[in-house]
Amino acid sequence: ISVWVLQADIDVAVQLLLKLKVDYKQMTGQDYKAGCPPSENSVPPDNGPAVDGADDEDTVDPWNVSTTSAKGVDYDKLIVRFGSSKIDKELVDRIEKVSGQKPHRFLRRGIFFSHRDMHQVLDAYEKQKSFYLYTGRGPSSEAMHVGHLIPFIFTKWLQDVFDIPLVIQMTDDEKYLWKDLTLEECHRFAVENAKDIIACGFDINKTFIFSDLDYMGASPEFYRNVVKIQKHVTFNQVKGIFGFTDSDCIGKISFPAIQAAPSFSNSFPQIFGGRKDTQCLIPCAIDQDPYFRMTRDVAPRIGYPKPALLHSTFFPALQGAQTKMSASDANSSIFLTDTPKQIKNKINKHAFSGGKDTVEEHRKYGGNPDVDVSFMYLTFFLEDDEQLEKIRQDYTSGALLTGELKKILIETLQPMIAQHQERRKQVTDEIVKQFMTPRPLNFNI
């Protein structure tokens, strides 16, 4: 047997086994026990149409996120399922100690909740060995919504506190393969989305933003890494990891290698020269993790360090935390192009409330902040921890009404988005071109 028994193959087999156990339970009404055939009188339970996901398991993959719980995805279960590690208080304290900065509110509040190898990155940093950041965006439309900003807000903070280079991949090729869009539209969306990303305040001297459609043809080193990765991942593995079927186009099947390649420093010779040992840290939403499980599996076999990851929770849709927001549904989210009036109307009309039906009931029994979307949004955007805790207590006790809670959120988001729009206006085509030109960056590695 080859010594390279791939973890991905094992993952596929385990997933299949778990699915067979679920199917068995649906058929027999009993949990599967090895060596114990089902009893004669076993009757399948009457589950009605909800046979899919019979164990209420959340759906989380790069294209779909859904849950049956109004509180949102169960992230503790997801950590176990994906095999990552929880970002605990000890790690948050360590990031504070190593960076010399107060941890970002996303860390303090568990919005970035899971990691792979973050301790290793900090160990190296303490020994004066630098690392670089990599994150990305799939440009499926011209307008981005506030949920899309979460990884970028946090990545900017990491860039500032650790003073390190950053690469941002615009996967316009992916959107062409998955969506009913022309290549030209996808490329244009990449440039438009880059303006919103630049408006987050990234340092032009430390940041390279690239479109796959442009960079892949201009960088032999990048493409060579793509090919190395492609050689070491089987069709069986990507079917198991991503659920591809025989009717998917071959572009989709080979795409994961393109998202994997920026994890390796020598994909960017203009930044790192020929160095292939600079560790990569990837802040991203947890639905992107399958790409990087695959990458981490391949890395040692092609002589590169495994990328480390920091995973964020999902930004809930206005209608509730059962799904993440959709760029194709204008009312599911607050867009970065929305006017103050649109923001106010969307929150008042569409934001799912954890309050009671009448004022009397609400005053008496209080609201539920765990399912209230306005409160969830404030956990992302309100900086003051004490103020946030007071809002939670007042809403839970009934002292704060749903309308008042929504007003606080409106008054938090309106100036934030107005300021973003002002900064975006300053981003000229020339500035975008500078960010997207392959060039040396200013840092000490």
Side-chain angles (χ1 to χ4, degrees):
I1 299 171
S2 158
V3 288
W4 301 124
V5 177
L6 284 182
Q7 184 63 41
D9 279 339
I10 298 166
D11 288 348
V12 172
V14 169
Q15 290 301 323
L16 180 62
L17 194 60
L18 292 172
K19 185 180 182 308
L20 288 170
K21 284 185 171 182
V22 170
D23 292 347
Y24 179 91
K25 189 170 182 179
Q26 280 169 19
M27 295 294 293
T28 65
Q30 300 172 7
D31 284 321
Y32 174 78
K33 289 190 182 69
C36 298
S39 55
E40 292 297 317
N41 58 358
S42 65
V43 180
D46 181 13
N47 283 349
V51 169
D52 252 347
D55 56 355
D56 276 345
E57 191 148 281
D58 301 330
T59 300
V60 176
D61 65 39
W63 305 282
N64 304 287
V65 175
S66 63
T67 174
T68 52
S69 165
K71 289 182 181 179
V73 169
D74 185 328
Y75 292 105
D76 286 334
K77 271 190 188 168
L78 207 55
I79 286 173
V80 174
R81 201 167 109 206
F82 281 9
S84 58
S85 307
K86 193 176 175 67
I87 294 179
D88 52 16
K89 187 174 183 314
E90 183 202 351
L91 180 54
V92 175
D93 291 346
R94 190 168 176 216
I95 291 170
E96 178 171 22
K97 182 172 156 277
V98 174
S99 69
Q101 301 284 332
K102 179 181 178 180
H104 193 277
R105 63 180 181 273
F106 291 173
L107 281 171
R108 303 196 304 265
R109 293 175 193 163
I111 287 166
F112 273 79
F113 71 100
S114 153
H115 75 100
R116 295 183 188 279
D117 289 347
M118 187 61 193
H119 280 292
Q120 190 183 306
V121 170
L122 295 172
D123 288 345
Y125 189 79
E126 282 182 321
K127 295 178 183 132
Q128 273 68 53
K129 194 170 182 333
S130 193
F131 59 98
Y132 74 102
L133 296 164
Y134 156 40
T135 192
R137 158 91 186 120
S140 55
S141 70
E142 207 160 310
M144 286 168 62
H145 57 59
V146 281
H148 291 139
L149 286 186
I150 303 306
F152 295 110
I153 290 169
F154 188 60
T155 301
K156 182 199 180 306
W157 180 81
L158 289 168
Q159 182 183 56
D160 290 346
V161 302
F162 289 105
D163 190 26
I164 45 174
L166 158 67
V167 295
I168 299 174
Q169 180 181 44
M170 309 299 283
T171 55
D172 39 12
D173 51 347
E174 175 205 13
K175 292 305 168 192
Y176 173 68
L177 294 168
W178 262 267
K179 305 258 181 191
D180 187 18
L181 296 165
T182 66
L183 264 179
E184 291 69 29
E185 283 173 319
C186 295
H187 189 263
R188 184 168 61 80
F189 294 158
V191 173
E192 286 305 308
N193 288 183
K195 291 177 183 174
D196 278 307
I197 292 166
I198 291 165
C200 293
F202 291 106
D203 182 343
I204 195 165
N205 298 310
K206 294 184 170 62
T207 307
F208 173 47
I209 303 175
F210 64 99
S211 134
D212 283 343
L213 291 175
D214 288 336
Y215 188 62
M216 187 106 144
S219 174
E221 293 83 358
F222 187 90
Y223 183 59
R224 284 172 191 195
N225 277 342
V226 169
V227 173
K228 282 183 187 174
I229 297 157
Q230 286 173 338
K231 180 167 179 171
H232 289 82
V233 181
T234 68
F235 182 39
N236 234 3
Q237 285 157 3
V238 290
K239 279 201 291 191
I241 298 167
F242 300 102
F244 296 142
T245 67
D246 292 351
S247 55
D248 276 311
C249 73
I250 58 173
K252 288 185 181 182
I253 293 149
S254 59
F255 173 74
I258 298 171
Q259 187 159 325
S263 311
F264 306 133
S265 56
N266 65 343
S267 292
F268 305 99
Q270 72 281 11
I271 302 172
F272 301 103
R275 290 191 65 153
K276 57 182 192 179
D277 61 340
T278 306
Q279 171 112 42
C280 175
L281 173 64
I282 306 169
C284 62
I286 187 85
D287 59 336
Q288 297 301 302
D289 187 68
Y291 283 111
F292 301 115
R293 289 206 294 278
M294 181 199 86
T295 309
R296 285 168 54 84
D297 187 68
V298 169
R301 290 180 298 118
I302 55 177
Y304 298 147
K306 293 181 178 187
L309 284 103
L310 292 168
H311 300 123
S312 75
T313 59
F314 301 115
F315 195 79
L318 279 169
Q319 286 77 4
Q322 282 90 341
T323 58
K324 68 173 185 176
M325 297 203 300
S326 162
S328 51
D329 178 358
N331 290 323
S332 76
S333 46
I334 307 294
F335 282 83
L336 300 178
T337 48
D338 284 350
T339 63
K341 190 177 178 188
Q342 283 173 315
I343 294 168
K344 182 180 177 181
N345 290 344
K346 279 186 186 180
I347 291 169
N348 281 330
K349 196 171 171 188
H350 297 290
F352 183 80
S353 161
K356 300 293 182 282
D357 292 340
T358 66
V359 171
E360 291 72 26
E361 269 187 69
H362 188 88
R363 293 277 188 225
K364 189 173 176 185
Y365 300 110
N368 181 357
D370 292 337
V371 301
D372 190 286
V373 167
S374 297
F375 184 79
M376 290 180 193
Y377 279 26
L378 285 172
T379 64
F380 281 87
F381 295 118
L382 193 67
E383 177 57 36
D384 189 321
D385 291 341
E386 285 175 21
Q387 190 187 353
L388 185 70
E389 185 50 34
K390 184 167 182 354
I391 291 167
R392 174 193 276 282
Q393 288 171 4
D394 289 351
Y395 194 60
T396 306
S397 72
L400 188 73
L401 297 174
T402 297
E404 294 166 332
L405 176 60
K406 286 186 171 185
K407 188 167 181 285
I408 297 169
L409 175 63
I410 291 162
E411 289 170 357
T412 303
L413 281 182
Q414 282 174 332
M416 185 191 106
I417 288 174
Q419 285 158 15
H420 179 88
Q421 289 166 355
E422 272 309 303
R423 289 195 303 270
R424 192 187 192 280
K425 274 185 205 157
Q426 315 298 319
V427 180
T428 61
D429 288 341
E430 183 51 40
I431 289 174
V432 175
K433 197 172 162 213
Q434 286 174 4
F435 268 96
M436 296 185 83
T437 299
R439 65 204 188 282
L441 297 180
N442 176 22
F443 65 95
N444 297 315
I445 213 75

